[in-house]
Amino acid sequence: MTDLPIAYQNLAADYIQKTHDDSEALRGSVYQQRKGNIENVFVKMPVGAGRKSLYVGPALHPETQAKTEKIKQASERARARRKDLSVLNKVGILSTHSYAGRVLDAMAYHGLFRNGAILVGTLAYQCYPLLLGCTLPSTQLATDDADLVAASLAIQADEGIDMLSILKDADPSFEAIPELDARAKPSRFRSRIGFVVDLLTPTRKRGEKQPLELKGLDAGATSLQYLAWLIDESAPAALPYSSGIPVYVPRPERYAVHKLIISQKRAHTATKTLKDLAQAKALIEVIERTRPGLISDQLLEAQAQGKQGWSDPIVKAMKALWPDGSWQDHPEFEEFLSEL
């Protein structure tokens, strides 16, 4: 793990900002098509695995010409961001695998992140090098799933499109995985190659029936403990794929502490436990060095939530990560330990 030179940190921050600035901009190949006596302008915009032809307007209208110019400018900015990511690749910022990138691109195009979806899991972890201006261990970056949290059950996509249709824009082979209750809306979707998308939502009350319904997406969402805490005050980020995918992710310091807790909650999944611990450790070490006090603050906030479900698993995770006891020497852990 190394900090990027300041110039590259600024380039990474600029990549994130410009990705969000252009989140609703049309871009792509502009072409004309005649209907009767009228020449109309369209744009082929890349979405997921394909392209969508979108109507711009009659070619001779000043408004259409202005829109066309904006499309061309947005396309130029997208090309510039792709070049920026290539530069960042050379200093250790890894791009997301193209398949996952296409899936997230389809979600972003249809407005899920603008409308309250938050990316969690390993794909969120892949966004942190850009946010933190550093490299992170690549051995934990591979993933065959995407975890999406619906902060509100009222979440919906633009134009009312359902979740399965969104995913089919990325790969037509996506299908819903049936729930145990055949009447329940699906909360998981799988493509032919085995890539899985999980829809999640924070637990609202004990014993609630699973999955909860997301009417706006014609889907369900599995409610999980700790998610409300994890996604509180989520941060704008960019998935490092092509010209950037504008997403929202948990704050990295909160993600790290959440991973400490979750690593001790998984049953019979040693591989995921090791991945959770590795991601937590990498982020803790970076944030301790570059943003002193943030990890300590999150540990204290978690501690205030309770002992059995919060403080105890954190201590167990620390012991697993630093079996020689050196975890007790971390300055970021001192106040947390003093309150045990």
Side-chain angles (χ1 to χ4, degrees):
M1 295 176 290
T2 57
D3 296 338
L4 300 181
I6 293 297
Y8 293 103
Q9 291 186 33
N10 291 338
L11 186 63
D14 196 50
Y15 180 85
I16 295 171
Q17 182 63 57
K18 289 180 177 178
T19 294
H20 277 267
D21 287 346
D22 266 356
S23 64
E24 297 185 58
L26 293 179
R27 62 182 185 276
S29 302
V30 175
Y31 68 97
Q32 294 188 11
Q33 186 171 306
R34 179 176 292 276
K35 185 175 181 180
N37 295 324
I38 300 176
E39 198 77 22
N40 293 300
V41 177
F42 297 82
V43 57
K44 281 188 177 179
M45 183 168 176
V47 177
R51 293 189 169 197
K52 288 189 176 293
S53 288
L54 305 173
Y55 177 67
V56 180
L60 296 179
H61 284 201
E63 184 179 351
T64 301
Q65 293 168 2
K67 287 180 179 179
T68 300
E69 182 59 30
K70 287 183 178 180
I71 291 169
K72 291 178 179 179
Q73 291 172 0
S75 300
E76 285 294 329
R77 293 194 298 270
R79 280 192 284 273
R81 290 197 301 278
R82 287 194 289 272
K83 290 181 181 179
D84 289 345
L85 183 57
S86 295
V87 171
L88 291 166
N89 289 158
K90 293 175 182 177
V91 293
I93 300 296
L94 301 180
S95 290
T96 295
H97 188 275
S98 60
Y99 188 89
R102 292 195 298 271
V103 173
L104 270 292
D105 183 54
M107 293 180 186
Y109 171 79
H110 288 292
L112 289 186
F113 298 106
R114 290 194 298 272
N115 296 332
I118 299 162
L119 184 64
V120 298
T122 296
L123 285 175
Y125 179 79
Q126 292 181 21
C127 296
Y128 292 137
L130 289 171
L131 270 176
L132 296 171
C134 68
T135 62
L136 287 172
S138 60
T139 54
Q140 303 300 329
L141 286 175
T143 185
D144 58 1
D145 60 10
D147 297 326
L148 204 67
V149 176
S152 166
L153 295 179
I155 188 173
Q156 60 183 9
D158 294 344
E159 300 177 357
I161 189 171
D162 63 87
M163 190 67 202
L164 184 57
S165 297
I166 292 171
L167 294 176
K168 283 184 178 293
D169 272 348
D171 182 345
S173 75
F174 265 105
E175 295 294 344
I177 300 175
E179 299 290 335
L180 292 177
D181 181 350
R183 297 168 297 178
K185 297 292 185 181
S187 62
R188 309 187 78 213
F189 302 83
R190 182 191 291 119
S191 71
R192 187 176 294 115
I193 68 167
F195 192 92
V196 174
V197 174
D198 281 302
L199 297 180
L200 310 170
T201 195
T203 296
R204 288 159 177 81
K205 61 182 179 180
R206 289 184 180 274
E208 56 193 1
K209 188 176 181 180
Q210 302 285 0
L212 302 182
E213 187 175 3
L214 304 176
K215 291 184 179 180
L217 296 177
D218 194 27
T222 301
S223 64
L224 296 177
Q225 190 183 10
Y226 307 111
L227 282 183
W229 186 83
L230 172 64
I231 66 174
D232 186 41
E233 298 181 7
S234 57
L239 192 73
Y241 171 76
S242 187
S243 60
I245 299 174
V247 298
Y248 287 84
V249 297
R251 288 176 289 158
E253 63 273 15
R254 185 157 287 203
Y255 181 97
V257 173
H258 178 263
K259 283 296 181 183
L260 291 177
I261 297 170
I262 294 301
S263 71
Q264 304 307 302
K265 296 290 184 178
R266 297 192 189 275
H268 311 298
T269 53
T271 300
K272 287 190 175 182
T273 295
L274 290 174
K275 180 182 280 191
D276 289 341
L277 289 172
Q279 291 182 4
K281 185 177 183 181
L283 288 171
I284 287 169
E285 291 177 350
V286 167
I287 296 168
E288 269 188 317
R289 185 179 71 251
T290 60
R291 295 161 174 79
L294 288 186
I295 293 295
S296 178
D297 291 344
Q298 295 310 309
L299 287 170
L300 291 174
E301 284 196 30
Q303 191 175 57
Q305 305 298 315
K307 183 177 186 297
Q308 184 175 0
W310 297 78
S311 295
D312 287 352
I314 288 173
V315 171
K316 288 180 182 178
M318 289 176 175
K319 290 178 178 178
L321 281 173
W322 295 279
D324 59 356
S326 61
W327 60 279
Q328 299 181 64
D329 300 327
H330 280 249
E332 294 286 89
F333 300 164
E334 286 179 1
E335 196 169 356
F336 169 79
L337 293 171
S338 69
E339 296 294 327
L340 289 177

